[in-house]
Amino acid sequence: MMDLSSINPVVLAAALMVAATPILLAAIGELVVEKAGVLNLGVEGMMITGAVTGFAVAVTTGNAYIGMVAAVLGGAALALVFALLTQYLMSNQVATGLALTLFGLGLSALIGQGYVGISPPRTPKIDFGWLSEIPVLGPVLFRHDPLVYVSIFIVAAVWWFLRHSRAGRILRAVGENHDAAHALGYRVRAVRVAAIAFGGACAGLGGAYLSLIRVPQWTEGMTAGAGWIALALVVFASWRPWRALIGAYLFGGIVVLQLNLQAAGWRIPVEYLAMSPYLVTILVLVIMSSGRARRSLSAPGSLGRPFHAAG
Amino acid sequence: MTTPLLAIEGLTKSYPGVVANDDVSMAIGEGEIHALLGENGAGKSTLVKAIYGLVRPDSGQMRWRGAPYAPAAPHEARATGVAMVFQHFSLFDALDVAENVALGMDDPPPIRQLAARIRKVSTEYGLPLDPGRLAGDLSAGERQRVEIIRCLLQNPDLLIMDEPTSVLTPQEVEILFETLRKLREEGRSILYISHKLDEIRSLCETATILRLGKVVASSDPRAMSARQLAELMVGTALTPPERAGLAPGEVLLEVTGLSHRAPSAFGTSLKEISLSVRAGEILGIGGVAGNGQDELLAALSGELRSKHQAIRLKGQPMGRYGPNTRRALGLLCAPEERLGHAAAPEMSLTENTLLTAAWREKLVRRGFIDWKRAQGFAEKIISRFDVRTPGPHVAARALSGGNLQKFVIGREIIQRPEVLIVNQPTWGVDAAAAAAIRQALMDLAQGGAAVVVISQDLDELLEIADRFCALNGGRLSAPRPVAGLTMEEVGLMLGGAGDMEVAGEATAGAAEGAAHAET
């Protein structure tokens, strides 16, 4: 029998932010990458690499924050492999991204062999004092771990960077028309490599959030499609940071609600939800490969196109 | 003699297999509009890129007011006082005008201050611009303004303009020339690259002519006829195409009320287009780029389907048919983009014949490709249209623009179409090949086919077409006989200078642009 009264909206809203954070981190990183005109389908691989490096380093050092830094570096390192292949060796971005995902899944399984079943050091929640005592708002907004706030800060920073800074304008220009940017004397490759590294770092941090805070444990393949959802989110957010935030929270809400509904006795096979990231990904890939749809969604003009400097 | 602003001495630059600039020397004086003339592939672009710091010369040197000048990157060139307006506008569609301008500056002020300066400078020079509009919504003329303003804000001593008028209506060209003369009066120099000889004769006082990377002449263009200049550029005497008049026959292609939504966000919607072409007639469709040319060709070729009755070939409706059915019925097309649309770049010429001629030339039998026949057909095109290539096994990409264009147009003409539609048949093609293509189109009409030529080259249309109509914002004007049509009338048909003359009207244009973006 279903008992909806067991679902507490306040708890639900609080859990939603936690569920959304890893996807949000990965999505905001990929958003910057795509704004620079590069399509990196390796988000899932970078995420899980971040998850395992973060977990391993946190367990070894006993400090979760050092683990997160390691996750950032791990994600960025894998992203730089992608950058080397696509920007300097001119490999195909789609194929390389897919390979990166497979590689990341395999590599993480290898590294993580000795860490299954261990608990990581805890990440304390931030103490906001009286703020967290406010009814409803307190538990929803002010009783989280630091990364939840860091992720929101990153969204704001990316928004400001893309919208108001000169470097952000150059990044958008490179993504919009790389030939013109080159003609004006901008270093297309350097901008793109930097963006790819940032995307990897964010994905790595998102992965670490899963293994260190949300779950918190290491299991093989634990990202379970979160990277693909992040990719889809970037498209549905039409490459706008705040929309990505809303989208991530919506998705987090659905995940949490579904869990709650199951707990309340509503029987929907878990497989349906497990399927959804892949369905969504297929849909997004179809959209991305059609020139018309890309235009009407206001995708960056040079997205996924290889850049050869002429002359 | 005074020191020139920029002196180039013995500049040489070679790429694998081709010497783009061979011992080029020239001098640009202070306050002078200097023309750089030459065919495609003569080395103009390479020379200009060297001046702008995009290309490093192999040998030779440049002097700026007597001092050695060797820019390693565009920002060094800009710091010296060189600014450049590119041929293919280096604008970013999804960014607004002010942002586009800021990207071209080395040390841009905050966007709001910049927007105010753009408004001020652009009105001063008679080129009003709204800094808040998206570049993707601007017309070609306005886009060029953005580039010019971007350069002017740097306060340059030398302004390089690469083929600035190729996308402008005659009235817009006049406005541009006024601005350029104003700049000269201020003591700035302009290096003006073009192959339009009349323009150069009315604007420039010195001309350097390049052919195959070498300077072949340096002279005062006003003292020479356009024909002399052309022959210096090409190196041989040119014969203009000829044809005898022919009484037009029955109507072969009839289009009525053809409308189509823009297939992409920055594309153009076709609005109620009607036209008819008779046997033996060439209909010229002029218009500035981005007014619906690509969409019109796609609708006629069958790449875009429309209402079945909107397009009729000899009375038979065919709006719903795809390209293959239309080809089978006798309607053939040659699109503008050679590489990637008319031909597959990585495939051989033989394979490329199959793209459009498989059915009409029976190159496919029982589902299998008849390679012998295909190769024979490719060889036939190569010999009849004088395509310079080692043979039909060569990849399409390896051909020069002019030769590939002769190939793709020839491929359609040999199939004896009843109606042929071509878009920009001589774009980026050298003068000799262009003359050959025009002659071939006229011969085809002479043989009783109906030909539609969509082109931005007005001289070309006036030369070969019987009737002329203008495509403007997706609408087609009523046709006018070409005989007796003046350039000014043509300009008005193309929409004249449109919203460009008065600043107040420019904002009205902005509103229209916004409305257009919504549709």
Side-chain angles (χ1 to χ4, degrees):
Chain A
M1 277 307 288
M2 221 159 99
D3 179 17
L4 285 174
S5 63
S6 70
I7 299 178
N8 178 346
V10 174
V11 175
L12 192 88
L16 161 172
M17 286 180 76
V18 175
T21 298
I23 307 164
L24 176 61
L25 280 166
I28 199 73
E30 178 68 10
L31 188 142
V32 171
V33 177
E34 293 190 12
K35 269 288 182 189
V38 179
L39 181 63
N40 185 353
L41 294 183
V43 182
E44 178 86 359
M46 300 186 299
M47 251 183 124
I48 198 144
T49 306
V52 77
T53 45
F55 191 85
V57 171
V59 166
T60 316
T61 60
N63 185 326
Y65 295 108
I66 297 180
M68 287 172 197
V69 173
V72 164
L73 295 177
L78 198 60
L80 285 174
V81 173
F82 176 84
L84 173 75
L85 290 170
T86 57
Q87 303 304 303
Y88 292 93
L89 304 176
M90 294 298 161
S91 69
N92 176 292
Q93 291 181 9
V94 171
T96 312
L98 291 172
L100 203 69
T101 288
L102 296 175
F103 176 69
L105 287 169
L107 181 74
S108 64
L110 180 70
I111 298 174
Q113 271 175 350
Y115 294 93
V116 180
I118 302 177
S119 282
R122 285 180 53 80
T123 321
K125 298 195 169 162
I126 293 186
D127 185 7
F128 282 99
W130 62 272
L131 276 176
S132 55
E133 301 306 321
I134 305 173
V136 184
L137 277 184
V140 172
L141 292 177
F142 300 110
R143 282 186 201 167
H144 294 296
D145 53 88
L147 266 194
V148 168
Y149 305 107
V150 167
S151 69
I152 298 173
F153 170 76
I154 292 179
V155 172
V158 164
W159 170 80
W160 182 87
F161 170 81
L162 289 176
R163 181 77 183 272
H164 294 293
S165 78
R166 172 159 154 78
R169 197 187 299 141
I170 293 170
L171 184 132
R172 279 188 290 147
V174 164
E176 182 61 26
N177 184 345
H178 51 217
D179 294 319
H182 175 69
L184 288 174
Y186 292 111
R187 291 160 65 208
V188 174
R189 264 187 199 164
V191 170
R192 287 191 168 164
V193 169
I196 292 168
F198 175 78
C202 284
L205 191 60
Y209 189 86
L210 275 176
S211 65
L212 291 175
I213 299 173
R214 176 141 156 74
V215 177
Q217 225 175 35
W218 165 254
T219 34
E220 215 178 295
M222 68 181 300
T223 46
W228 295 112
I229 295 165
L231 265 167
L233 204 60
V234 176
V235 178
F236 291 132
S238 348
W239 294 268
R240 288 183 199 171
W242 292 117
R243 284 202 200 169
L245 180 97
I246 295 169
Y249 283 179
L250 260 176
F251 183 83
I254 294 169
V255 170
V256 174
L257 187 67
Q258 179 263 357
L259 290 173
N260 277 279
L261 285 173
Q262 275 191 29
W266 197 40
R267 299 201 182 282
I268 176 171
V270 191
E271 285 78 7
Y272 280 113
L273 198 80
M275 244 189 256
S276 61
Y278 303 100
L279 283 177
V280 167
T281 307
I282 290 169
L283 190 70
V284 165
L285 285 177
V286 168
I287 293 170
M288 303 277 263
S289 52
S290 141
R292 277 177 211 176
R294 273 168 61 161
R295 265 277 168 235
S296 58
L297 280 169
S298 70
S302 294
L303 183 57
R305 280 171 43 213
F307 170 71
H308 300 269
Chain B
M1 206 183 138
T2 52
T3 321
L5 178 68
L6 178 70
I8 297 169
E9 290 149 17
L11 191 135
T12 299
K13 171 76 192 175
S14 44
Y15 292 110
V18 58
V19 183
N21 285 148
D22 188 357
D23 196 20
V24 170
S25 299
M26 63 185 281
I28 302 164
E30 304 262 3
E32 157 183 294
I33 303 185
H34 190 113
L36 186 58
L37 268 169
E39 292 255 276
N40 288 295
K44 294 171 297 183
S45 296
T46 308
L47 182 61
V48 160
K49 281 182 181 166
I51 299 175
Y52 194 58
L54 279 167
V55 162
R56 247 181 241 239
D58 299 334
S59 64
Q61 53 173 334
M62 294 184 276
R63 293 183 168 277
W64 181 267
R65 292 189 170 129
Y69 168 69
H75 68 90
E76 287 181 28
R78 289 196 287 258
T80 314
V82 179
M84 178 157 169
V85 177
F86 292 89
Q87 177 182 13
H88 302 292
F89 302 136
S90 56
L91 291 190
F92 305 95
D93 283 348
L95 274 60
D96 69 28
V97 168
E99 286 179 316
N100 267 291
V101 171
L103 280 164
M105 301 174 78
D106 290 316
D107 191 15
I111 279 293
R112 254 179 233 155
Q113 281 178 32
L114 186 64
R117 276 182 65 194
I118 292 171
R119 259 182 225 286
K120 185 166 160 282
V121 173
S122 64
T123 349
E124 261 173 36
Y125 285 98
L127 309 168
L129 264 180
D130 176 358
R133 284 178 71 190
L134 282 188
D137 295 333
L138 300 179
S139 74
E142 289 170 309
R143 289 167 74 85
Q144 186 179 55
R145 275 173 197 202
V146 179
E147 294 256 2
I148 297 175
I149 297 296
R150 174 150 87 185
C151 292
L152 290 182
L153 286 176
Q154 323 249 7
N155 208 12
D157 296 306
L158 175 65
L159 181 64
I160 303 171
M161 304 203 77
D162 194 354
E163 304 262 357
T165 58
S166 51
V167 294
L168 302 183
T169 63
Q171 278 81 356
E172 286 174 336
V173 169
E174 262 319 304
I175 297 176
L176 174 69
F177 281 11
E178 278 311 308
T179 308
L180 295 184
R181 291 193 184 108
K182 205 170 194 170
L183 290 171
R184 173 173 57 188
E185 280 160 29
E186 292 175 356
R188 302 176 206 268
S189 303
I190 294 159
L191 181 59
Y192 189 93
I193 303 169
S194 182
H195 59 250
K196 292 193 180 166
L197 305 163
D198 292 325
E199 280 179 4
I200 281 174
R201 292 179 60 238
S202 77
L203 189 69
C204 308
E205 52 266 28
T206 334
T208 299
I209 301 170
L210 287 180
R211 191 198 314 148
L212 300 174
K214 290 191 176 128
V215 174
V216 290
S218 203
S219 63
D220 184 344
R222 291 166 300 185
M224 297 171 82
S225 72
R227 187 165 188 128
Q228 282 172 305
L229 287 170
E231 289 178 4
L232 276 172
M233 255 165 68
V234 181
T236 54
L238 288 171
T239 44
E242 289 168 29
R243 74 191 268 227
L246 182 79
E250 54 165 340
V251 173
L252 289 185
L253 177 70
E254 178 136 46
V255 176
T256 37
L258 172 69
S259 296
H260 210 289
R261 256 191 65 196
S264 65
F266 292 119
T268 310
S269 301
L270 298 177
K271 294 163 198 130
E272 291 290 318
I273 286 189
S274 298
L275 60 89
S276 70
V277 205
R278 293 170 180 276
E281 182 187 51
I282 299 182
L283 176 71
I285 297 181
V288 175
N291 271 298
Q293 285 91 341
D294 294 342
E295 290 81 2
L296 178 60
L297 183 107
L300 293 178
S301 72
E303 286 167 70
L304 291 179
R305 312 290 164 90
S306 40
K307 268 190 233 133
H308 205 41
Q309 300 290 337
I311 301 173
R312 292 157 176 272
L313 182 73
K314 290 189 288 181
Q316 186 188 355
M318 50 174 14
R320 231 177 273 140
Y321 296 151
N324 279 329
T325 320
R326 295 193 195 190
R327 274 189 204 115
L329 294 168
L331 184 144
L332 273 56
C333 286
E336 169 180 3
E337 181 62 39
R338 290 186 281 273
L339 285 172
H341 197 176
E346 304 295 346
M347 288 188 170
S348 72
L349 295 180
T350 304
E351 287 167 315
N352 267 298
T353 59
L354 289 159
L355 295 184
T356 70
W359 196 90
R360 281 181 87 84
E361 294 293 319
K362 302 187 177 53
L363 305 182
V364 173
R365 260 199 314 209
R366 279 181 242 121
F368 288 91
I369 296 170
D370 187 339
W371 286 110
K372 245 190 193 152
R373 249 184 109 85
Q375 190 181 334
F377 182 60
E379 277 162 0
K380 198 163 128 193
I381 302 170
I382 290 169
S383 69
R384 220 184 107 188
F385 286 87
D386 188 28
V387 180
R388 310 274 165 82
T389 167
H393 60 278
V394 173
R397 184 191 283 291
L399 267 65
S400 75
N403 279 310
L404 185 56
Q405 189 69 17
K406 282 197 274 189
F407 183 84
V408 295
I409 301 249
R411 180 179 67 191
E412 309 306 319
I413 288 179
I414 291 195
Q415 295 180 51
R416 282 173 284 102
E418 293 192 68
V419 176
L420 178 68
I421 292 144
V422 291
N423 189 6
Q424 295 277 70
T426 61
W427 183 81
V429 165
D430 59 87
I437 289 168
R438 286 175 197 152
Q439 188 63 57
L441 291 173
M442 292 168 80
D443 292 346
L444 182 70
Q446 196 67 23
V451 180
V452 177
V453 180
I454 306 172
S455 177
Q456 290 159 42
D457 185 342
L458 298 174
D459 297 320
E460 168 172 273
L461 293 179
L462 296 187
E463 184 177 299
I464 65 173
D466 298 295
R467 287 186 302 149
F468 175 89
C469 41
L471 196 57
N472 189 2
R475 289 177 202 281
L476 194 67
S477 73
R480 301 261 307 261
V482 164
L485 202 60
T486 65
M487 214 32 151
E488 194 182 350
E489 287 170 318
V490 169
L492 290 174
M493 287 174 80
L494 295 178
D499 54 348
M500 319 225 124
E501 275 157 324
V502 197
E505 282 180 41
T507 37
E512 191 185 314
H516 178 72
E518 277 163 29
T519 51

